[in-house]
Amino acid sequence: MSTEKTFLFTSESVSEGHPDKVADQISDALLDAYLSSDPNSRVAIETLVTTNTVIVAGEVGSSTHVDHESIIRNVICGIGYDHPGIGFDGHDCKITNLIHEQSNDIADAVLRPDPENQGAGDQGLMFGYACAGTETLMPLPIDLSHRLVSILAEIRREGHEMTYLRPDAKSQVTILYDEKNNPLFIDTILVSTQHDDFPDVERPDLLIKDDIARVLIPRLLDTLPESIRSLYTSSSKLLVNPSGKFVIGGPNGDTGLTGRKIIVDTYGGWARHGGGAFSGKDPSKVDRSGAYAARYIAKNLVAAGISPEIEVQLAYAIGQADPVSVSVNTFGKETTNLKAKDLEQLVRENFPLRPYYIIRDLALKNPIYQPTASYGHMGRTCLSANGIKYFPWEETNKANLLR
């Protein structure tokens, strides 16, 4: 096989026990608590976690009161940090609460007498992306990376195999592509996972590597269609805990902050990112709702067959209702005669893009955000529970209309 025009591309994911993801989950759990009682709550909460310590700060405008401490402790224990021997214990960690009331200047920029004229909660630009080739319409490296750490967490929670697993983990997948961006094979899978101490084992990484190959990889492959499963070959490399030992992890091993995994949260670096984080922000913040809307648009356009690869950019000005710009990029792969301006008009006609309409159409005032805070905001399965729809931006319910 000629390699002159091939290239490698890598994406990573992290588990729910990664310190940055612990912070994201706390921020989003607090947001959900506010929205559960007051759907009009304005929330912007940041979290810092370190050795047995949690600090939450930010601004809230809400008619409800929330028991911050119990929510924080429940999140931490639910992840698996629930005993002192692991270095971070949700039962007794120190919690410092610095949350205060939202600035009136921000509130005045958003609220309007006519709700349909609601202004964007901040300026910014957001990207949404979708591509054919995977069931999730996501780039393959990030899709596989998410699956790896998600399945690893399932194995840990089941408690039947690899019983030494602890909550912190990272994955990384490298794919070899041809010049047309078609995947040729999986070049490298990298898994780093926190584990119990093995005082009598000289090379715990070798023991864990054998288990990853025996338990995790087959379960990963079982989730994939044959066209992708066949990309994992005898030439694919498997790296496990290359540092050798990973006992100290989670917030005890590294400080975690809300919003520090924005590439993991989106497209693994394959598509562009506007720079705004998601977790802890209510949907009036277009950093979040605009990014969800852009993904919804891109996914429906790809599902409609307009192009096998589409990137959508939206941009907003704080206090203004209508987007400053709408851009649709097909990378020259469009299957219709529609030009860029035509596609922009198609989007504006079929996807109302004022914040009020995005929030209304995607039902973003529901308390749906903690599940987004680990294993990616995009490429997830839209599902309903207790009358609430989770990951509604993953629906392709407008694809037939667009066709």
Side-chain angles (χ1 to χ4, degrees), residues 129-131 134-139 142-144 146-147 264-267 292 295-296 299 372 374-382 391 393-395:
Y129 178 84
C131 59
T134 62
E135 295 172 335
T136 58
L137 302 188
M138 290 285 286
I142 189 65
D143 182 89
L144 294 178
H146 285 324
R147 289 174 191 254
V264 170
D265 286 344
T266 50
Y267 308 103
Y292 292 163
R295 163 65 176 172
Y296 179 54
K299 189 172 184 181
T372 70
S374 49
Y375 312 119
H377 293 243
M378 317 302 180
R380 307 289 291 275
T381 301
C382 179
F391 302 99
W393 49 90
E394 292 299 321
E395 285 194 302

Side-chain angles (χ1 to χ4, degrees), residues 185-205:
F185 73 91
I186 297 170
D187 182 85
T188 305
I189 289 178
L190 166 61
V191 177
S192 292
T193 182
Q194 186 187 14
H195 57 85
D196 292 341
D197 198 6
F198 300 120
D200 300 324
V201 178
E202 183 177 350
R203 290 288 305 275
D205 56 312

Side-chain angles (χ1 to χ4, degrees), residues 17-27 46-56 72 75-76 79 81 88 93-95 250-258 260:
H18 185 281
D20 292 330
K21 281 293 151 197
V22 174
D24 283 344
Q25 289 168 89
I26 290 171
S27 293
E46 312 290 343
T47 302
L48 179 149
V49 293
T50 187
T51 303
N52 228 33
T53 300
V54 178
I55 300 172
V56 290
I72 292 168
V75 169
I76 296 169
I79 293 169
Y81 294 116
F88 188 68
C93 63
K94 178 183 177 182
I95 296 174
N252 188 40
D254 190 13
T255 297
L257 295 169
T258 299
R260 204 159 57 174

Side-chain angles (χ1 to χ4, degrees), residues 37 77 85 104 117 140 189 226 231 233 278 287 292 306 311 326 329 343 345 366:
S37 297
C77 290
N104 288 332
N117 294 326
L140 183 57
I189 289 178
E226 175 57 29
L231 299 178
T233 72
F278 303 152
D287 275 343
Y292 292 163
I306 290 171
E311 185 181 70
V326 177
N329 185 358
L343 289 172
Q345 187 62 29
N366 284 324

Side-chain angles (χ1 to χ4, degrees), residues 42-44 46 59 102 105-112 118-126 274-277 281-291 314-324 353 355 359:
R42 301 283 184 247
V43 179
E46 312 290 343
E59 304 82 44
Q102 185 187 55
D105 291 345
I106 296 176
D108 291 344
V110 173
L111 301 177
R112 295 289 185 273
Q118 172 183 326
D122 201 351
Q123 74 173 50
L125 53 136
M126 307 90 217
K281 298 177 182 178
D282 76 83
S284 71
K285 280 74 173 175
V286 286
D287 275 343
R288 180 168 221 160
S289 53
L314 307 176
Y316 291 87
I318 188 169
Q320 300 297 308
D322 291 308
V324 172
L353 292 175
I359 294 167

